[in-house]
Amino acid sequence: MPATGLSERAPKLDRRSVVRALLADRGELLVIAGLGAPAWDATDAGDHALTFPLWGAMGGATAIGLGLALAQPDRRVLVLTGDGEMLMGMGSLATAGVQRPHNLAVVVLDNEHYGETGMQSSHTASGIDLAAVARACGFVSSAIITKIDQVAALRADIHGAEGPLLAQIKIAADKLPLVLPPRDGTHLKNRFREALLGPKAHVQR
Ligand SMILES: Cc1ncc(C[n+]2csc(CCOP(=O)(O)OP(=O)(O)O)c2C)c(N)n1
């Protein structure tokens, strides 16, 4: 069956504008940012103690967000990741569909390429529909987003709608200036735990 052609028809959004809009007035939202450009986008929107940017662990962002959402049912959790990263961790959508955390949102910034390693085409360029995969895995809602005026409603859903939900946002495959988060993994872990747990972050188990 030929590809849907969606990738040719759809307008492509500016990733930094999308992420800035999604993270505006983020409040207590917990954010896991997938490695590479999504982590740079999250940092461009403002380095934040309640963002855990991944420097590796490709394929692990949704699994980490799922664990966090289950451990913190009173907090909203956003996984912000790339299509390549999500494709590598696609099995975690099935686990999220089984666990059904009401507070988990996954946003895939879909540039249809593996940007970090030389812009090789990813499967979504051939029409692979991650929103449909999420639906088939039992996500409460999922959508492909192609217009900037859909982003405000998505932001509201991230903060309040019943999850798990997934949005696949079609973005331009631009190489943008790097905006890097801190590099030290221990620092990132500790500042995230302290911002989330307060003094309990230091209690030894
Ligand atoms: C297991 C593993 N394989 C490959 C890589 C190399 N790698 C780092 S980022 C990346 C591409 C990420 O693509 P995507 O998630 O679509 O993000 P984009 O930069 O395109 O927005 C790859 C292949 C890696 N870090 N780890």
Side-chain angles (χ1 to χ4, degrees):
M1 195 168 60
T4 60
L6 173 75
S7 52
E8 292 87 64
R9 283 202 313 273
K12 303 292 165 93
L13 304 183
D14 168 54
R15 60 187 308 148
R16 295 266 161 97
S17 306
V18 166
V19 173
R20 269 187 233 121
L22 287 178
L23 296 183
D25 301 321
R26 55 184 279 175
E28 299 205 317
L29 182 69
L30 308 178
V31 179
I32 303 294
L35 84 170
W40 321 153
D41 297 336
T43 310
D44 174 74
D47 185 34
H48 198 291
L50 289 177
T51 296
F52 190 68
L54 292 168
W55 279 94
M58 187 167 176
T62 297
I64 293 169
L66 169 61
L68 187 61
L70 293 173
Q72 297 291 330
D74 298 331
R75 303 291 288 265
R76 304 293 302 196
V77 176
L78 169 64
V79 174
L80 187 65
T81 195
D83 48 301
E85 203 280 338
M86 189 70 256
L87 284 158
M88 191 172 270
M90 215 150 72
S92 54
L93 295 178
T95 309
V98 171
Q99 295 286 334
R100 293 177 76 86
H102 63 92
N103 53 338
L104 177 66
V106 178
V107 169
V108 180
L109 298 166
D110 180 12
N111 63 0
E112 305 183 347
H113 291 81
Y114 294 89
E116 212 58 26
T117 47
M119 281 291 174
Q120 300 87 355
S121 287
S122 87
H123 310 57
T124 59
S126 299
I128 297 303
D129 182 338
L130 293 168
V133 173
R135 213 152 35 243
C137 288
F139 274 50
V140 172
S141 64
S142 68
I144 293 182
I145 287 182
T146 58
K147 297 190 178 66
I148 193 71
D149 59 13
Q150 295 172 285
V151 172
L154 173 59
R155 182 190 164 280
D157 285 350
I158 289 166
H159 284 272
E162 177 78 12
L165 65 92
L166 182 142
Q168 179 179 357
I169 308 182
K170 292 291 180 180
I171 55 163
D174 294 329
K175 265 299 215 187
L176 300 175
L178 301 183
V179 185
L180 302 180
R183 271 178 200 275
D184 185 315
T186 305
H187 165 72
L188 289 168
K189 180 205 58 163
N190 287 342
R191 81 170 187 171
F192 187 88
R193 283 177 54 82
E194 282 161 16
L196 172 58
L197 301 172
K200 281 193 290 182
H202 301 291
V203 173
Q204 299 290 321
R205 288 179 188 248

